[in-house]
Amino acid sequence: MDVAELGSFTAAAERTGLTQPAVSLQVKHLEQHLGVRLIERIGRKAQPTPAGHELLRHGRRIEKEVIDASESMAPHKAAAVGRVRIGTGATACIHLLPPVIAKIKGSMPGLEIVVRVGNTEDILRDLEANSLDLALVTLPASGRSLEVEPIYDDELVAIAPASESHDDATSVDAAFLGSRSLLLFEGGNTRRLTDDWFGASGVRVRQAMEFGSVEAIKQLVGAGLGWSLIPRLALRQSEGTATFRTFHLRPALTRALALVVRRDKHLSRGLRETMQAIRDEVTG
């Protein structure tokens, strides 16, 4: 497979740690055993023949089965069963991932889980570079090498200090919020969605304080320093709080969260179970 993928016997030898004649001899023996020609030279490049393409298809499937079989033995060993590197935003990290990680650790105690927090653009860049295995991010998320699976629509809501009087209102619009002192996210897709929501109503937001932490915003709103728009996901541990009140937005505003992996990523058991645990958490 290395010769076909790299287009060179020399490059395949360097990858496998063998000599170029040794690689050529292996290919020749395989061709003699199967009775067909597998590799042909076109110019200076080695390319698979039609028979070679067919063998590659079977070879990749066999390789995957061997990897899966090896991974299925991991729980029976005392050693660790691998690692999953997740990139996500701060809100999901605080309010969504803890129960997910606890669930996975219950079934795969030897699995190492690494979480990196950042904005969508940086996380997707690391994912494409293969320094992350999985991303849980706010859409939009794009990349020719990426597989994007939307899993959750997260409503954005307005929060206000509980000390303010709001009669019996349950929702607010852009014009009302535009006249208030606002504490907003600093950059990222959620902030862009917020700005677009105000812009669609022709509202120009007064100068607002900006923060990179939704938890800091909640604390400052509760202290009476202004209003904010935050994902409802960030209220999972704050429902019924006495420090601020929550209002729906008119018109409604949601952000979509998605799981993203590289299209060519091998989905190990640990990665598959992590993805499923996240799906279960947002739909449960």
Side-chain angles (χ1 to χ4, degrees):
M1 288 196 294
D2 290 328
V3 175
E5 290 174 358
L6 299 174
S8 165
F9 283 87
T10 301
E14 291 177 355
R15 174 183 284 184
T16 57
L18 300 173
T19 64
Q20 188 269 338
V23 173
S24 298
L25 186 60
Q26 286 186 355
V27 173
K28 182 178 180 180
H29 284 167
L30 184 59
E31 289 178 329
Q32 290 175 342
H33 175 73
L34 296 174
V36 294
R37 189 173 185 181
L38 300 174
I39 297 292
E40 60 184 353
R41 290 191 177 275
I42 300 179
R44 300 182 62 183
K45 191 171 183 180
Q47 292 188 353
T49 63
H53 279 294
E54 183 70 14
L55 184 61
L56 278 173
R57 185 173 65 84
H58 290 285
R60 292 191 180 101
R61 187 171 69 247
I62 293 169
E63 182 181 42
K64 181 180 181 303
E65 290 296 331
V66 170
I67 292 173
D68 289 344
S70 177
E71 289 178 350
S72 70
M73 297 298 102
H76 301 282
K77 300 178 183 179
V81 293
R83 179 179 66 171
V84 175
R85 301 163 299 174
I86 308 171
T88 190
T91 301
C93 180
I94 295 171
H95 299 280
L96 185 60
L97 287 185
V100 168
I101 294 174
K103 179 180 179 181
I104 297 168
K105 283 292 189 179
S107 61
M108 301 181 68
L111 182 68
E112 179 187 2
I113 299 177
V114 179
V115 180
R116 186 182 308 167
V117 176
N119 61 48
T120 296
E121 292 178 357
D122 291 340
I123 289 170
L124 294 182
R125 189 179 305 116
D126 289 342
L127 190 70
E128 289 187 308
N130 207 35
S131 59
L132 289 172
D133 303 307
L134 173 66
L136 173 60
V137 294
T138 302
L139 295 180
S142 61
R144 298 178 68 179
S145 65
L146 302 178
E147 188 78 33
V148 180
E149 177 192 349
I151 59 168
Y152 183 60
D153 287 329
D154 189 13
E155 178 190 12
L156 268 72
V157 296
I159 59 173
S163 57
E164 291 189 19
S165 175
H166 312 292
D167 299 322
D168 294 324
T170 59
S171 63
V172 292
D173 59 15
F176 177 86
L177 289 171
S179 66
R180 293 311 193 257
S181 212
L182 292 176
L183 293 76
L184 299 177
F185 281 105
E186 180 182 29
N189 283 353
T190 301
R191 175 58 184 273
R192 281 191 282 272
L193 287 170
T194 300
D195 288 343
D196 290 345
W197 182 79
F198 278 110
S201 295
V203 174
R204 185 173 182 178
V205 178
R206 289 166 41 184
Q207 185 172 1
M209 289 188 285
E210 297 182 339
F211 300 89
S213 166
V214 69
E215 295 306 303
I217 289 174
K218 286 160 59 179
Q219 291 294 323
L220 292 169
V221 170
L225 297 183
W227 288 58
S228 185
L229 284 74
I230 66 172
R232 182 169 287 281
L233 181 63
L235 300 177
R236 279 194 169 192
Q237 301 173 18
S238 308
E239 296 291 354
T241 179
T243 61
F244 55 79
R245 289 186 56 190
T246 304
F247 300 84
H248 295 289
L249 299 180
R250 299 193 313 267
L253 175 62
T254 61
R255 64 172 191 165
L257 298 183
L259 292 175
V260 188
V261 295
R262 285 172 55 109
R263 292 184 186 277
D264 60 355
K265 187 71 176 178
H266 168 66
L267 300 184
S268 65
R269 180 194 167 201
L271 184 52
R272 292 196 306 270
E273 292 206 9
T274 299
M275 295 173 69
Q276 189 57 51
I278 293 173
R279 297 185 191 103
D280 293 343
E281 181 64 21
V282 298
T283 58

